[in-house]
Amino acid sequence: MQKKNLCVTVNTLCNWDCKYCISETNLSSTSQKKERSEERLFLNALETLRTLNPDHYKSITISGGEPGLLPENKIFDLLQVGYSRGFNIDINSNGKIFKSIIPYIMDYAQLPHDMISDELWYKLELIKMIDTIDLHLAPNMEEGLKMLGDTGTGFIYPNPTLPKSFFSLYSIIAIARNVDIKVRPLMVVGKSDLPYLEDFINAYNKQYIPSSTLPKLELRVCMDNESKNNSEKLSKEDIMGFMKTIYKNPGVSEESMSIAEAALESRKLNRYS
């Protein structure tokens, strides 16, 4: 029997407000009711991991909201349960997750191994359970294009160990490779992103083509069940235009075309056009 992947939602809050996303993004809500709801969701996710049959599931995708907004101890609770059950872990994140794991990876990469504490070794073993981080690069392509143009070296994220400094996308990928974590740059493309699509891909190609570090960019068209905003859903004509733009593009992953083809087929099978 072929083992499956299960996506587990661990929170609903996010620091971004992507138009296509179906999750709650209001960080200003601090009511006790909201906090209790978030705690129940996290505990339910833990219980799901504890009771899931590893004979049926090979990997777990941790998603939100933004999982990186969880306190660090809760992130490691999730990894510990996954570790104890033998699951591979994938994480959907906009970069916040790196604040909790990069300091440990950097210590591992920089310290002599005889100076690494038992606690650090243990946390590294948990971090190594992460197989892939799907890194959403920006809340929309207009913002992503600004980030590419402004930095000249790829997307930037705050360095969790050094205030007022930054990790570039290159740095994050290189650091993650120390513990064999794959980072997959990702953008979901909604209708409002289409005017920026070609310029965005060209800007990414300027980073990707001369680099031996950056992986290909995965572009996912916004599907019916992925958006709280109907105006962001792509029509058949939109998807065909999207496919024409990404066709044989060196910096765009082959999976992007496969996802678009599946989306186009689903459009043909329902009344949405």
Side-chain angles (χ1 to χ4, degrees), residues 26-133:
N26 181 14
L27 284 178
S28 64
S29 176
T30 57
S31 68
Q32 288 186 345
K33 183 177 179 182
K34 182 65 178 176
E35 290 174 1
R36 288 195 298 268
S37 174
E38 290 291 297
E39 183 66 15
R40 281 197 302 271
L41 186 59
F42 172 76
L43 293 175
N44 287 341
L46 271 185
E47 186 63 20
T48 297
L49 292 181
R50 290 191 182 107
T51 57
L52 209 60
N53 188 340
D55 292 332
H56 296 164
Y57 293 91
K58 178 181 180 181
S59 61
I60 303 297
T61 297
I62 294 174
S63 191
E66 168 50 48
L69 290 175
L70 290 172
E72 184 180 297
N73 66 300
K74 289 189 174 183
I75 292 171
F76 278 98
D77 284 345
L78 291 165
L79 295 178
Q80 192 279 327
V81 174
Y83 177 83
S84 67
R85 305 302 308 285
F87 295 121
N88 290 331
I89 302 292
D90 298 334
I91 300 177
N92 280 320
S93 179
N94 61 27
K96 279 285 184 181
I97 194 69
F98 291 110
K99 184 176 181 181
S100 295
I101 66 173
I102 275 184
Y104 299 104
I105 301 175
M106 289 185 71
D107 283 348
Y108 169 70
Q110 295 171 357
L111 289 174
H113 283 193
D114 60 0
M115 292 183 62
I116 296 178
S117 66
D118 290 343
E119 180 184 3
L120 177 54
W121 276 120
Y122 177 65
K123 288 197 171 181
L124 282 167
E125 285 301 307
L126 298 183
I127 290 169
K128 288 178 181 179
M129 290 298 297
I130 303 172
D131 182 66
T132 303
I133 294 177

Side-chain angles (χ1 to χ4, degrees), residues 152-258:
T153 56
F155 293 81
I156 55 175
Y157 299 91
N159 181 326
T161 58
L162 298 173
K164 299 183 180 178
S165 64
F166 295 88
F167 281 122
S168 68
L169 183 57
Y170 296 109
S171 303
I172 285 176
I173 290 170
I175 292 168
R177 281 177 177 164
N178 281 287
V179 288
D180 297 324
I181 295 175
K182 296 186 289 290
V183 178
R184 178 163 48 196
L186 171 69
M187 286 288 291
V188 177
V189 182
K191 200 176 188 75
S192 63
D193 295 315
L194 293 177
Y196 306 97
L197 178 62
E198 188 169 1
D199 288 341
F200 181 86
I201 293 173
N202 289 338
Y204 191 83
N205 280 341
K206 288 179 182 178
Q207 318 269 349
Y208 169 78
I209 292 173
S211 169
S212 60
T213 303
L214 286 185
K216 290 188 175 185
L217 173 68
E218 184 162 310
L219 297 171
R220 299 179 184 174
V221 296
C222 184
M223 300 287 283
D224 284 347
N225 61 346
E226 291 177 335
S227 178
K228 60 190 174 188
N229 186 341
N230 285 332
S231 65
E232 286 302 303
K233 298 173 185 176
L234 271 61
S235 67
K236 288 184 289 188
E237 290 74 18
D238 292 332
I239 296 173
M240 286 188 287
F242 170 89
M243 292 169 68
K244 183 179 179 180
T245 302
I246 69 170
Y247 180 65
K248 290 186 176 179
N249 204 292
V252 179
S253 72
E254 290 76 14
E255 289 83 1
S256 302
M257 183 64 80
S258 299

